[in-house]
Amino acid sequence: MKRITLLATFLLAAMSFAVSAQEVTYVEDPSQGLLINKPSNNWFLNVEAGANLFMSPNDTHVDKFTNRIGGSFDISLGKWISPVFGLRAGVASFLAKGACDGYYHDRGDMAIRPDLGYAEDGYYAQKAWFVGPKLDAMLSLTNWWLGYNPGRVYNAVFYLGTSVYFPFAKGGANHNMYADKVNPSIDKDAKWAFANSRDIDVHLGLLNKFAVSKRVDILVDLRFDYLQENFDDIVDTRNCNLNLLVGIGYNFGKTTWNGPMTAVCPTWKYTDAEGDALAARLQAAEAKIADLEKQLRDCLNRKPEVVENDDNAPLATVYFPIGKTAITGVQGKVVNAVAEVMKQTDKEYLLTGWADNYTGNDKINTRLRKGRVANVKAALVRKGVDAGRLETTINDGNLTNFGAKCASLDRAVTVHEKK
């Protein structure tokens, strides 16, 4: 009885909702989930500049710590796929300042700059610009852990990526400021040139975003790089680089994320007359439910009817898309199965082509009927069925006569065994 009462209450609530539907409002509710935006939305451009500390085994021999600090610059274009995950690509660069030992000094390699004069203990100063493309995968930690909030001022973004750096030095890494071992003259006017090398980088970082407006962000970026090749030592590949950058980010297109629309129903207060009417509806609903339960019991207790085989039923029906005569998709498997049945007997079969009369015109539909039945016969023959056992015809009526909404059931070829 409890289930009946609950169902009746639900039915009455549904009827009451229908009566007051004009008062229902719809609002966006991000708590129900978020909708993916269009591809043109949630793009951003980041421009950052700052300083870096290049770290390798020989760099501790630089005379002053400040002489190891170089500049850094990044520019990247990216897109947020969701409020949590995004991608960006761009160009990264930094000025590596360090030192090398006497072995490379004597060889004249590695962009040695004895004119800089800030190395000690038999080590020599060197520096080079590293420039190259980068690609980052980005994870918004605040949106992941705290949930999406379009009004949040601060967002912490973790990112992991890779870069391919191309070093540039004055004169190049193998043609540097140390002219030769006998006469170390220094060409201070030499231009920066490609060092004929490349360095593979894996980096990770934390990008701190402070929203100034929905379009503009202030950025504070802390990034750690691990480089495959050593700027100071060709054998030792353990080079690291620590970057601290600040910059500005600009957001393009739609910057927020939509939530699904949910209905907000008004609070309903009933008068005595309305309460009596609801009680009467409840009684009527209970009577209707009791009648439905009786019908259900009668149906469950009814013995199943034995349906005799319909001698006029087709062996199979092959269906076609609207306006098409080609056998597509699973219908090909149907034709293959029909062919296997036909090859097991010597019976003859009648193939009838059909088209619905709700679309097209008589000329088009006649062409479709003929094309469909011809293609089914050809497919059966290819599968080994004797063409002499297959008779084809068309029917200009509807196969089912269930109406225009069921027209797809009339676009077919039926296969009947000839009596």
Side-chain angles (χ1 to χ4, degrees):
M1 185 64 186
K2 289 183 178 179
R3 287 181 296 176
I4 297 175
T5 304
L6 288 174
L7 181 57
T9 304
F10 173 79
L11 292 174
L12 288 175
M15 289 185 288
S16 300
F17 175 80
V19 173
S20 60
Q22 67 275 12
E23 300 182 21
V24 174
T25 58
Y26 293 87
V27 296
E28 191 176 280
D29 186 3
S31 66
Q32 302 298 320
L34 295 174
L35 305 178
I36 298 300
N37 286 347
K38 295 179 180 178
S40 59
N41 294 327
N42 304 105
W43 287 84
F44 61 87
L45 176 67
N46 291 347
V47 179
E48 305 172 51
N52 80 90
L53 176 65
F54 192 72
M55 295 173 285
S56 63
N58 294 328
D59 293 338
T60 57
H61 295 279
V62 175
D63 60 345
K64 295 180 181 179
F65 179 80
T66 54
N67 284 336
R68 294 174 57 190
I69 298 176
S72 297
F73 178 79
D74 281 19
I75 183 170
S76 56
L77 178 67
K79 174 177 172 57
W80 287 104
I81 310 301
S82 73
V84 174
F85 179 73
L87 295 171
R88 70 176 179 178
V91 176
S93 65
F94 64 89
L95 178 62
K97 290 184 178 181
C100 70
D101 59 22
Y103 171 75
Y104 294 106
H105 174 271
D106 293 339
R107 284 179 32 164
D109 287 343
M110 304 304 294
I112 299 168
R113 294 298 307 277
D115 61 314
L116 296 178
Y118 57 64
E120 60 184 9
D121 301 330
Y123 287 82
Y124 296 85
Q126 60 180 356
K127 69 177 180 179
W129 271 106
F130 284 74
V131 181
K134 70 169 185 175
L135 178 65
D136 296 333
M138 309 179 70
L139 181 70
S140 174
L141 300 180
T142 46
N143 286 339
W144 181 24
W145 293 338
L146 304 178
Y148 169 67
N149 181 0
R152 183 177 289 126
V153 174
Y154 171 74
N155 280 282
V157 178
F158 171 80
Y159 62 90
L160 178 68
T162 183
S163 302
V164 180
Y165 284 113
F166 299 91
F168 288 77
K170 282 195 174 183
N174 295 314
H175 179 66
N176 51 64
M177 299 304 97
Y178 186 72
D180 55 58
K181 291 177 286 186
V182 178
N183 182 20
S185 61
I186 304 303
D187 182 4
K188 296 182 180 180
D189 296 326
K191 297 180 179 179
W192 292 92
F194 176 45
N196 298 315
S197 177
R198 62 178 178 269
D199 296 78
I200 306 300
D201 159 85
V202 176
H203 57 258
L204 56 85
L206 181 66
L207 177 63
N208 300 275
K209 298 172 57 180
F210 300 88
V212 178
S213 67
K214 71 175 183 179
R215 295 289 181 193
V216 179
D217 297 321
I218 299 298
L219 310 176
V220 179
D221 193 354
L222 181 64
R223 185 180 75 234
F224 178 81
D225 300 308
Y226 182 86
L227 281 77
Q228 181 184 19
E229 295 182 3
N230 194 334
F231 179 66
D232 297 320
D233 191 323
I234 294 175
V235 177
D236 188 352
T237 62
R238 294 172 295 177
N239 270 349
C240 301
N241 189 45
L242 185 63
N243 298 268
L244 178 61
L245 305 101
V246 295
I248 189 168
Y250 185 80
N251 304 303
F252 299 92
K254 184 179 178 63
T255 60
T256 57
W257 301 83
N258 295 331
M261 302 300 291
T262 58
V264 177
C265 299
T267 303
W268 189 272
K269 296 182 179 180
Y270 297 100
T271 62
D272 292 342
E274 290 171 336
D276 294 340
L278 286 175
R281 290 182 183 178
L282 178 58
Q283 293 177 355
E286 289 179 341
K288 182 65 174 179
I289 291 171
D291 181 62
L292 291 174
E293 287 184 334
K294 180 179 180 302
Q295 294 182 41
L296 178 59
R297 287 193 299 271
D298 293 343
C299 181
L300 292 174
N301 296 329
R302 186 182 305 155
K303 294 183 180 181
E305 298 180 1
V306 178
V307 180
E308 298 180 357
N309 292 332
D310 185 0
D311 293 337
N312 195 36
L315 171 62
T317 303
V318 182
Y319 293 96
F320 294 81
I322 184 172
K324 303 295 183 182
T325 60
I327 301 171
T328 59
V330 72
Q331 302 304 317
K333 296 182 179 180
V334 174
V335 173
N336 294 342
V338 171
E340 293 302 318
V341 173
M342 290 180 173
K343 289 189 290 185
Q344 295 174 11
T345 69
D346 56 357
K347 296 178 181 179
E348 295 182 353
Y349 296 88
L350 175 64
L351 313 181
T352 306
W354 302 82
D356 73 271
N357 290 313
Y358 305 104
T359 58
N361 53 45
D362 290 342
K363 181 178 179 181
I364 293 175
N365 289 336
T366 298
R367 175 180 60 80
L368 291 173
R369 295 180 184 109
K370 292 181 178 179
R372 288 166 179 169
V373 74
N375 285 341
V376 172
K377 179 179 179 180
L380 292 171
V381 172
R382 284 195 300 270
K383 290 297 180 178
V385 180
D386 184 2
R389 296 168 53 200
L390 303 176
E391 179 183 344
T392 61
T393 185
I394 64 172
N395 192 312
D396 59 1
N398 287 324
L399 178 58
T400 62
N401 288 321
F402 288 145
K405 292 184 178 180
C406 304
S408 57
L409 296 176
D410 297 322
R411 305 167 190 139
V413 169
T414 55
V415 181
H416 286 84
E417 179 184 327
K418 293 183 67 176
K419 301 300 183 181

